[in-house]
Amino acid sequence: MMKSAFRGEQAKAVLSQWFDRFRHRLKVPTESRTVKTRVGDTHVLVGGPEGAPSLVLLHGALASSAHVLSELAPLLERFRVYAVDIVGQSVKSADARPSVSNNEYGEWLTDVLDGLSLERTHVVGVSWGGFVAIRLAAYAPERIQRLALLVPAGVVNGSHWDGFTKVGLPMMLYRMSPSKRRLEAFVRHLLTTTDDDWVPYLGDALRSFNMDMRVPALAKPEELARLKAPTLVLGADLDVSFPGQRLLARAPELFSTLADTELIKDCRHCPPTTDAFRHWLSERISGFLLASGASHQQGPERMRQQPGHGGKHQ
């Protein structure tokens, strides 16, 4: 039996406080919903115009619906957004960890869509959330209208050595003996920019979660053969975990409906947390999701330096 995702009730309380803090950053109202699934209750943060197109938003590891919404808040202007708290990766949902080697996450997310009465919807997945979105695409592709993936897990893996020396070892050292210097060493190769919330949050998260060290299985073309949804894949050129060039090179092999790709320049795994970049990214995703009659053929790979950062910590 897999152990809890959290290191006790006090740890969960700390993470809950951070959820509230990130939610309070939102400038538009949101409502909390809970839906029943085969692995337990799942929390969903809902916002945006009720009559707008639906969008299911999936956050990264060690985060929550409030975290991802705070970075993609402009999406709330054009979509009815359902930001789902992924089980095993958010304090707001059931303390369960589905398998990362099969479609259990896709089955769980199908239950969530059923609970929200979403027959077919746009899906946006970030990092671990990208892996979950891919598992939905393998299990129930007919539920996806358009699919956007930002630095997704489950497509390629980075160098084991780089991952260990730049992320894994600094994480282990910080968990053993937390200090400001060790936290800075951990975020150095993870965050493109730093701010007053994300760095201390990650410090608390590393001390509050029992780390899930399982590596999500890489998707196979035959698993996604039934996917008809136009797909956008965005990679980061400095991403240690899922190197952007390698990610975009494999995307056409996986997604026969690949509509566009883009490599974000001077960007680590966690994109810039600047208002300029948040607006650019939300516009990039919105433009893709709201396009009609777009070709399903792969567009030209683009590499550009996005507004609001220049690859340096701010």
Side-chain angles (χ1 to χ4, degrees):
M1 186 174 183
M2 187 164 290
K3 66 180 179 181
S4 170
F6 312 102
R7 303 177 79 175
E9 292 303 314
Q10 184 176 353
K12 292 175 69 174
V14 169
L15 293 170
S16 293
Q17 290 172 358
W18 275 111
F19 174 90
D20 292 339
R21 180 164 175 170
F22 274 86
R23 185 177 182 181
H24 288 156
R25 289 167 42 152
L26 299 172
K27 295 179 173 61
V28 297
T30 55
E31 61 176 289
S32 288
R33 294 191 192 175
T34 300
V35 297
K36 303 290 185 182
T37 76
R38 67 191 70 194
V39 298
D41 288 352
T42 297
H43 177 265
V44 184
L45 206 54
V46 185
E50 290 192 21
S54 65
L55 186 162
V56 167
L57 183 58
L58 302 165
H59 62 81
L62 308 183
S64 75
S65 57
H67 288 77
V68 71
L69 264 186
S70 71
E71 297 305 319
L72 290 169
L75 292 176
L76 292 164
E77 299 171 10
R78 300 186 185 183
F79 299 92
R80 183 65 168 172
V81 179
Y82 299 84
V84 181
D85 283 277
I86 298 174
V87 291
Q89 296 294 338
S90 170
V91 71
K92 299 297 289 184
S93 287
D95 187 4
R97 284 182 163 171
S99 172
V100 296
S101 60
N102 55 33
N103 282 336
E104 286 186 10
Y105 263 114
E107 296 169 0
W108 160 78
L109 188 52
T110 302
D111 291 347
V112 175
L113 298 185
D114 290 343
L116 295 171
S117 299
L118 295 175
E119 186 63 31
R120 192 162 175 258
T121 183
H122 297 307
V123 178
V124 177
V126 181
S127 189
W128 188 281
F131 163 73
V132 175
I134 290 170
R135 288 300 101 199
L136 176 68
Y139 179 70
E142 70 281 358
R143 307 297 293 267
I144 304 175
Q145 186 172 351
R146 281 180 172 251
L147 175 64
L149 302 171
L150 174 62
V151 295
V155 178
V156 297
N157 290 324
S159 158
H160 293 300
W161 179 251
D162 283 350
F164 175 71
T165 58
K166 295 179 178 180
V167 179
L169 181 58
M171 177 186 71
M172 292 167 54
L173 292 174
Y174 177 78
R175 280 167 58 88
M176 288 171 54
S177 181
S179 70
K180 180 180 179 181
R181 181 178 60 83
R182 288 184 169 184
L183 181 57
E184 289 174 348
F186 170 70
V187 303
R188 183 174 301 125
H189 295 285
L190 182 67
L191 303 182
T192 305
T193 59
T194 58
D195 64 29
D196 292 339
D197 283 341
W198 274 102
V199 174
Y201 168 73
L202 286 170
D204 280 349
L206 289 182
R207 295 194 300 269
S208 299
F209 277 94
N210 283 316
M211 304 303 294
D212 188 348
M213 304 307 292
R214 299 174 299 166
V215 178
L218 299 186
K220 300 175 182 178
E222 56 268 26
E223 293 182 292
L224 301 175
R226 295 185 298 125
L227 180 66
K228 304 302 181 185
T231 301
L232 167 68
V233 179
L234 301 174
D237 67 334
L238 302 179
D239 191 341
V240 173
S241 300
F242 316 121
Q245 291 277 16
R246 195 180 305 172
L247 173 72
L248 299 193
R250 187 162 191 251
E253 175 188 340
L254 288 181
F255 304 104
S256 62
T257 55
L258 188 66
D260 202 0
T261 64
E262 186 152 347
L263 185 65
I264 306 172
K265 188 179 178 183
D266 298 328
C267 185
R268 302 192 188 282
H269 181 67
C270 298
T273 55
T274 63
D275 286 339
F277 186 85
R278 290 170 181 139
H279 281 281
W280 174 84
L281 182 57
S282 296
E283 284 297 312
R284 183 72 172 87
I285 294 172
S286 296
F288 167 73
L289 296 180
L290 295 175
S292 59
S295 170
H296 289 186
Q297 300 302 312
Q298 183 189 10
E301 179 188 316
R302 289 177 285 182
M303 181 170 180
R304 65 174 69 161
Q305 180 171 305
Q306 308 307 343
H309 81 292
K312 299 178 181 178
H313 292 278
Q314 299 182 357

